[in-house]
């Protein structure tokens, strides 16, 4: 079997800004939920059988206290109110959901990838997110990263081709060059080298 691990927070944000607004019978905004659900259903229709989705219940975590400039994702209430709706809808479909509170969705995805990779029944683990942080979890062709929006599958060689370092060096790489998506500036004077 293949295991698909989906970054539900990324998916909800992406769909919130990409799909038209829609409300339920009670007037609650659900446009992003509809977008994510349509996307997950299409994965199942294409043969995905084992899926897990991690979401951020508290979008800020303990990391915000460690580094004051860490991204603050305080967002519109129309977006934040859709997290519990999405989680409930996914669970009703039979999809495993990990709503994270003290840690982040990335932590759940990384833990699930490590656990699934140790299971002999699992042929491949696909971490479905473009998040650079999760590139550190890639192992050969067994644990890969899938950017579903751009349809890019990145194995270990793909991580090296993109970043110039092996997956296990991604945390050090991002600490040096920074990660604008997470609000980490990196070290002054350092930047990713241009990739040809």
């Amino acid at each position: 079997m293949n295991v698909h691990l989906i970054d539900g927070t990324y998916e909800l944000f992406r769909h919130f800004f990409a799909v038209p607004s829609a409300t339920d019978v009670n007037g609650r905004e659900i446009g992003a939920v509809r977008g994510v659900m349509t996307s997950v259903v299409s994965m199942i229709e294409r043969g995905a059988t084992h899926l897990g989705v991690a979401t951020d219940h508290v979008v800020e975590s303990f990391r915000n206290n460690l580094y004051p400039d860490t991204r603050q994702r305080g967002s519109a209430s129309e977006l934040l109110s859709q997290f519990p709706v999405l989680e409930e809808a996914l669970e009703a479909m039979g999809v495993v959901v990990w709503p994270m509170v003290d840690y982040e969705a990335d932590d759940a995805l990384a833990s699930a990838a490590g656990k699934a990779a140790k299971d002999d029944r699992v042929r491949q683990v696909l971490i479905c997110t473009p998040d650079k942080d999760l590139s550190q979890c890639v192992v050969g062709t067994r644990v890969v990263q899938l950017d579903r929006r751009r349809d890019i599958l990145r194995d270990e060689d793909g991580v090296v081709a993109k970043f110039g370092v092996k997956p296990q060096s991604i945390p050090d790489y991002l600490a040096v060059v920074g990660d604008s998506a997470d609000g980490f500036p990196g070290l002054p004077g350092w930047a990713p080298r241009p990739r040809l």
Side-chain angles (χ1 to χ4, degrees), residues 5 12 41-42 51 103 111 113 129 134 148-149 166 193-194:
L5 303 172
L12 199 63
V41 167
S42 74
L51 295 94
Y103 297 93
S111 296
T129 183
L134 285 161
R148 295 175 52 234
R149 185 177 64 82
K166 291 192 170 284
R193 71 181 175 131

Side-chain angles (χ1 to χ4, degrees), residues 16 20-34 77-89:
F16 182 75
S21 174
T23 56
D24 66 10
V25 294
N26 298 316
R28 289 186 306 178
E29 177 60 42
I30 58 163
V33 171
R34 286 177 51 184
S77 61
E78 295 87 14
L79 171 59
L80 295 178
S81 67
Q82 292 186 65
F83 278 89
V85 178
L86 174 64
E87 293 159 0
E88 185 178 336

Side-chain angles (χ1 to χ4, degrees), residues 62-154:
F62 71 94
R63 288 180 179 87
N64 300 97
N65 296 325
L66 294 175
Y67 186 66
D69 293 331
T70 301
R71 136 191 81 182
Q72 299 290 321
R73 284 197 234 165
S75 297
S77 61
E78 295 87 14
L79 171 59
L80 295 178
S81 67
Q82 292 186 65
F83 278 89
V85 178
L86 174 64
E87 293 159 0
E88 185 178 336
L90 288 167
E91 287 174 347
M93 279 180 48
V95 174
V96 174
V97 178
W98 301 294
M100 303 304 289
V101 176
D102 294 325
Y103 297 93
E104 295 180 6
D106 291 358
D107 301 312
L109 296 172
S111 296
K115 186 171 183 175
K118 293 177 184 173
D119 189 325
D120 293 334
R121 299 170 296 171
V122 175
R123 186 178 68 81
Q124 190 173 51
V125 179
L126 296 101
I127 305 171
C128 302
T129 183
D131 192 332
K132 295 183 284 272
D133 296 358
L134 285 161
S135 295
Q136 68 187 288
C137 300
V138 172
V139 179
T141 58
R142 181 161 173 75
V143 179
V144 297
Q145 191 171 13
L146 175 61
D147 180 341
R148 295 175 52 234
R149 185 177 64 82
R150 294 185 292 169
D151 196 27
I152 297 172
L153 184 69
R154 196 167 283 125

Side-chain angles (χ1 to χ4, degrees), residues 45-66:
E45 288 173 345
R46 289 192 313 265
T49 57
H50 294 75
L51 295 94
V53 178
T55 59
D56 292 297
H57 252 219
V58 178
V59 179
E60 282 82 27
S61 74
F62 71 94
R63 288 180 179 87
N64 300 97
N65 296 325
L66 294 175

